[in-house]
Amino acid sequence: MQRGKVYNPDEPELMQQQIIAQEKNDAYNALKRSDFKGRTQLLKEMFAEMGTDCMIEIPFYANWGGQHVHFGNGVYANFNLTLVDDGDIFVGDNTMFGPNATIATAGHPVYPPLRSEKHYQFNKSVYIGKNAWLGANVTVLPGVTIGDNTVVGAGSVVTKDLPANVVAVGTPCKVLRPIGQHDHDYFYKNEKLDIWS
């Protein structure tokens, strides 16, 4: 499952392990929003790695309940984060996810009998750097790497790697421009930041 090769996910032992992981995910979503301590504790149990000061808003969904997810420190995810974590997902410190973001590591062969009759799938790890920001409704596909500080615009579908320090948008997602002085001086279009004075 974690080797990046084609396999059959319908094996009874795998399915049972996945159900146990998903039930922990259900327990997380049943916690009170105000139970920050309980939410943090359960995430640390669910995830492969969970840094300090992370927050995932409820509801949150993961195929394997986060078992293959590695979060750095200070990661924030808004409502409806969906992690198809059949493969590993690595997220660097201080990265943010907008509402309804989806990170997918699983794919299926294109040849129809392998999908419909055998249900074969494969998993490719996703790497997201530090200080990245993925806007609302962003989808990241299997095998993608997103560099440090990169901003992915709302609604984008990331099919290929993105370098560090860029703004990228679209379906498929493409680099729009580098992050630069304009981003230092303005917070929205041509509205000037006044926090530097």
Side-chain angles (χ1 to χ4, degrees), residues 25 30 36 40 76 95-96 121 128 134 136 172 174 185 195-196:
N25 194 157
F36 297 113
T40 299
Y76 173 78
T95 285
M96 299 190 311
Q121 79 175 50
I128 301 171
L134 282 64
K174 295 182 179 170
D185 297 340
I195 61 173
W196 305 123

Side-chain angles (χ1 to χ4, degrees), residues 79-116:
F79 305 107
N80 292 314
L81 174 67
T82 299
L83 302 176
V84 183
D85 66 331
D86 298 68
D88 286 312
I89 298 172
F90 297 89
V91 179
D93 297 346
N94 302 311
T95 285
M96 299 190 311
F97 297 94
N100 305 309
T102 299
I103 313 302
T105 65
H108 302 278
V110 173
Y111 186 63
L114 294 177
R115 283 182 286 116
S116 59

Side-chain angles (χ1 to χ4, degrees), residues 143-164:
V144 166
T145 296
I146 297 173
D148 293 348
N149 305 313
T150 288
V151 175
V152 181
S156 296
V157 178
V158 186
T159 62
K160 295 182 179 173
D161 293 354
L162 296 173

Side-chain angles (χ1 to χ4, degrees), residues 16 36 48 50 52 60 62 90 97-98 126 133 155 158-160 167:
Q16 184 58 37
F36 297 113
M50 173 61 66
T52 60
F60 148 69
F90 297 89
F97 297 94
V126 170
W133 174 25
V158 186
T159 62
K160 295 182 179 173
V167 175

Side-chain angles (χ1 to χ4, degrees), residues 3-192:
R3 295 177 302 181
K5 304 291 185 188
V6 172
Y7 71 102
N8 187 339
D10 294 341
E11 293 178 21
E13 184 179 325
L14 274 180
M15 291 177 73
Q16 184 58 37
Q17 291 172 7
Q18 188 172 17
I19 287 169
I20 292 167
Q22 288 174 338
E23 286 178 346
K24 280 191 177 181
N25 194 157
D26 294 341
Y28 180 81
N29 287 330
L31 292 172
K32 290 185 177 182
R33 294 189 187 280
S34 59
D35 186 3
F36 297 113
K37 185 176 179 183
R39 287 165 64 181
T40 299
Q41 182 178 344
L42 191 51
L43 285 174
K44 286 187 179 290
E45 291 175 23
M46 293 166 59
F47 278 44
E49 293 179 85
M50 173 61 66
T52 60
D53 301 320
C54 293
M55 170 68 74
I56 299 177
E57 299 290 356
I58 296 169
F60 148 69
Y61 306 97
N63 277 21
W64 281 83
Q67 277 189 17
H68 308 124
V69 180
H70 310 260
F71 271 14
N73 299 319
V75 175
Y76 173 78
N78 213 320
F79 305 107
N80 292 314
L81 174 67
T82 299
L83 302 176
V84 183
D85 66 331
D86 298 68
D88 286 312
I89 298 172
F90 297 89
V91 179
D93 297 346
N94 302 311
T95 285
M96 299 190 311
F97 297 94
N100 305 309
T102 299
I103 313 302
T105 65
H108 302 278
V110 173
Y111 186 63
L114 294 177
R115 283 182 286 116
S116 59
E117 296 167 23
K118 304 289 185 186
H119 303 145
Y120 283 128
Q121 79 175 50
F122 60 88
N123 306 313
K124 299 293 181 183
S125 298
V126 170
Y127 298 86
I128 301 171
K130 297 177 181 180
N131 303 310
W133 174 25
L134 282 64
N137 298 302
V138 166
T139 300
V140 178
L141 297 185
V144 166
T145 296
I146 297 173
D148 293 348
N149 305 313
T150 288
V151 175
V152 181
S156 296
V157 178
V158 186
T159 62
K160 295 182 179 173
D161 293 354
L162 296 173
N165 302 303
V166 298
V167 175
V169 298
T171 302
C173 191
K174 295 182 179 170
V175 174
L176 178 67
R177 62 179 176 80
I179 294 172
Q181 188 62 42
H182 182 84
D183 303 295
H184 176 275
D185 297 340
Y186 298 89
F187 68 94
Y188 177 76
K189 297 184 180 180
N190 289 321
E191 293 185 44
K192 198 160 182 65

